[in-house]
Amino acid sequence: MEIRIEPVDGKKGRARFVDLGRMFATREPHNVPQLRSEQLELVDPDKNPFFGHASHQLFVATRGDKDVGRISAHIDHLALELPPEQGMGPGTGMFGYFDAEDEAVTKALLAAAEDWLRGQGMTHVLGPISMSIWEEPGLLVRGQDHSPMIMMGHHPAHYAGWIEGAGYTLAKTLLTYDLDVSHDFPPLVRRIVQSGHRNERIRIRRVDKSKWDSEVQIVLNILNDAWSSNWGFVPFTPEEIAYAGKKLKPIIHEPLNYIAEVDGRPMAFMLTFPDVNGVLKQIKGKLFPFGWIRMLRWLHKPTGSGMRVPLMGVLRELHNSRLASQLAFMMISKIREDAVANYGSERAEVGWILDDNQGMIAIADAIDSKINREYAIYRKPL
């Protein structure tokens, strides 16, 4: 039967788009149902400040009277201003939120996204990136045998072949590392940490939620500096900083989040999120009628939860120095101790990490963590 591609917008169109993605997600055995309200907010231009610097179009594929796929085409105008050697730059369009019934639907959806981007003057496309690089970048190509942690995408293995069959080639691989936190780190790491604690210039302190707004500013200022030369980096805007602070505050627990100071100056940070996907799986992604009770209990004390370290950064002036790795080891060691002592955690996940970020890969290897998930970002000329 003929495949039709329909652009959708407005409240009803966004609901159709999100619900279609939720339907595809139920087919995956290790998928974790997310809150529908949160998914709707991410694609709502009136609520997500990403759209303050982005253009987009959502598409749904139909065959007969059945919706059989979806895709977004979007342009991050801040990404257009970046150097091309960092992966984006002038002419960069993106696709995301990709789901398809089969390879024919895949090709029709990608063609529609490409046509829209071409019409906007774009010369090449990256994807999937859903939708900001800070949300869910990449297609899962390894790790389908276990559930994702908080804010990580989960996709069937066959999507990769379908996208590659449409002329896309690998642009970048993103890695996550699994870590058994029930055991202490190797002796070398412990010696580095102990040496840091003897250095009176260094102070490793918890994030202070009573000063939340200023702490968020410190963290994101370090992040914008530390990651500024990374592949795919797009700086946070002030509106996105405020939005991220509001959204993250409920899952921030002070014993799991640290700022490193040297001579009283904030130089590095490490954030850790308890894995809300564990409770979302239990309540099947629904707060009502009784899921909200379990969610509130979990937010207060996420006992037994796995932990994810999604973000860390060290100011560029310290990059490639012993002090940079020492601060990282000191923070992750403290977080490991607190996660085990205060929350009974046994497992953590670090990432994502760019496959050419040798500094972070070296840290991940030093603490005996192992790659457990890989995400691919593809590229194609238009």
Side-chain angles (χ1 to χ4, degrees):
M1 298 177 66
E2 179 187 2
I3 299 168
R4 301 187 311 277
I5 307 297
E6 302 176 23
V8 297
D9 53 29
K11 186 175 181 179
K12 288 184 178 180
R14 291 193 297 270
R16 178 184 174 190
F17 186 85
V18 165
D19 289 340
L20 181 57
R22 292 173 67 82
M23 183 274 290
F24 273 98
T26 62
R27 300 178 179 180
E28 296 307 302
H30 294 285
N31 173 68
V32 179
Q34 300 297 299
L35 295 177
R36 183 174 182 268
S37 59
E38 294 292 318
Q39 292 177 310
L40 286 169
E41 186 170 317
L42 285 173
V43 295
D44 188 341
D46 292 330
K47 295 182 179 180
N48 186 347
F50 167 73
F51 294 103
H53 54 85
S55 307
H56 78 290
Q57 179 61 63
L58 307 179
F59 295 95
V60 169
T62 62
R63 182 186 277 133
D65 60 356
K66 181 183 178 184
D67 288 343
V68 291
R70 66 171 190 162
I71 199 169
S72 66
H74 51 282
I75 301 166
D76 186 336
H77 296 283
L78 292 181
L80 301 181
E81 302 171 5
L82 300 176
E85 58 268 23
Q86 286 184 227
M88 296 187 181
T92 303
M94 305 177 199
F95 78 87
Y97 288 115
F98 167 75
D99 285 296
E101 192 77 34
D102 53 44
E103 190 165 8
V105 173
T106 297
K107 290 182 178 180
L109 284 167
L110 288 169
E114 292 162 11
D115 285 346
W116 186 87
L117 291 169
R118 199 177 289 112
Q120 302 292 314
M122 299 299 102
T123 58
H124 54 275
V125 55
L126 290 174
I129 298 174
S130 306
M131 251 184 226
S132 164
I133 193 71
W134 297 106
E135 291 170 8
E136 288 187 7
L139 180 82
L140 182 67
V141 294
R142 172 186 169 189
Q144 283 88 357
D145 59 346
H146 60 279
S147 294
M149 279 199 171
I150 177 174
M151 296 174 66
M152 299 297 286
H154 193 77
H155 316 102
H158 53 259
Y159 278 3
W162 293 352
I163 291 173
E164 291 166 9
Y168 284 78
T169 57
L170 183 65
K172 185 61 63 176
T173 300
L174 315 176
L175 308 173
T176 65
Y177 285 77
D178 184 76
L179 175 65
D180 180 355
V181 296
S182 63
H183 301 289
D184 203 349
F185 293 138
L188 174 61
V189 174
R190 296 202 300 270
R191 288 197 296 271
I192 293 172
V193 170
Q194 291 164 2
S195 172
H197 287 310
R198 291 193 294 270
N199 187 339
E200 295 182 355
R201 298 177 59 207
I202 297 175
R203 178 192 178 205
I204 306 297
R205 67 170 181 84
R206 292 177 177 179
V207 167
D208 186 350
K209 286 184 75 173
S210 70
K211 303 174 182 177
W212 179 242
D213 289 344
S214 61
E215 295 286 69
V216 168
Q217 193 67 52
I218 288 172
V219 165
L220 291 177
N221 284 345
I222 295 173
L223 178 66
N224 276 342
D225 177 81
W227 287 43
S228 59
S229 59
N230 282 9
W231 188 96
F233 170 80
V234 179
F236 277 94
T237 65
E239 293 79 12
E240 287 174 305
I241 290 174
Y243 181 76
K246 179 181 177 181
K247 300 295 286 186
L248 294 177
K249 189 174 183 179
I251 60 171
I252 291 292
H253 294 263
E254 290 180 345
L256 301 172
N257 299 274
Y258 280 83
I259 293 172
E261 298 176 348
V262 179
D263 296 329
R265 179 185 170 202
M267 301 290 281
F269 76 91
M270 186 173 292
L271 299 185
T272 304
F273 300 161
D275 184 26
V276 70
N277 279 1
V279 70
L280 285 173
K281 184 178 286 189
Q282 294 173 4
I283 66 176
K284 299 180 179 179
K286 298 178 180 178
L287 290 178
F288 301 101
F290 303 113
W292 65 273
I293 299 174
R294 184 168 289 182
M295 179 63 76
L296 284 177
R297 289 174 178 168
W298 180 88
L299 287 171
H300 177 68
K301 187 76 171 182
T303 303
S305 295
M307 299 291 170
R308 180 180 169 220
V309 179
L311 292 173
M312 73 153 291
V314 181
L315 289 178
R316 279 188 301 168
E317 62 192 76
L318 294 183
H319 283 192
N320 302 315
S321 70
R322 289 186 179 182
L323 182 56
S325 57
Q326 184 170 47
L327 296 179
F329 285 133
M330 291 175 73
M331 288 186 290
I332 202 168
S333 177
K334 199 74 181 81
I335 290 168
R336 187 204 71 80
E337 294 173 4
D338 289 344
V340 172
N342 297 318
Y343 303 100
S345 299
E346 298 180 352
R347 175 179 170 257
E349 192 171 278
V350 181
W352 47 265
I353 295 172
L354 294 168
D355 61 349
D356 57 358
N357 187 336
Q358 296 304 316
M360 278 304 305
I361 290 173
I363 290 172
D365 290 341
I367 58 177
D368 286 343
S369 60
K370 306 297 180 185
I371 295 172
N372 69 325
R373 295 171 78 83
E374 295 183 13
Y375 292 84
I377 296 179
Y378 293 96
R379 183 184 182 93
K380 181 180 177 180
L382 293 176

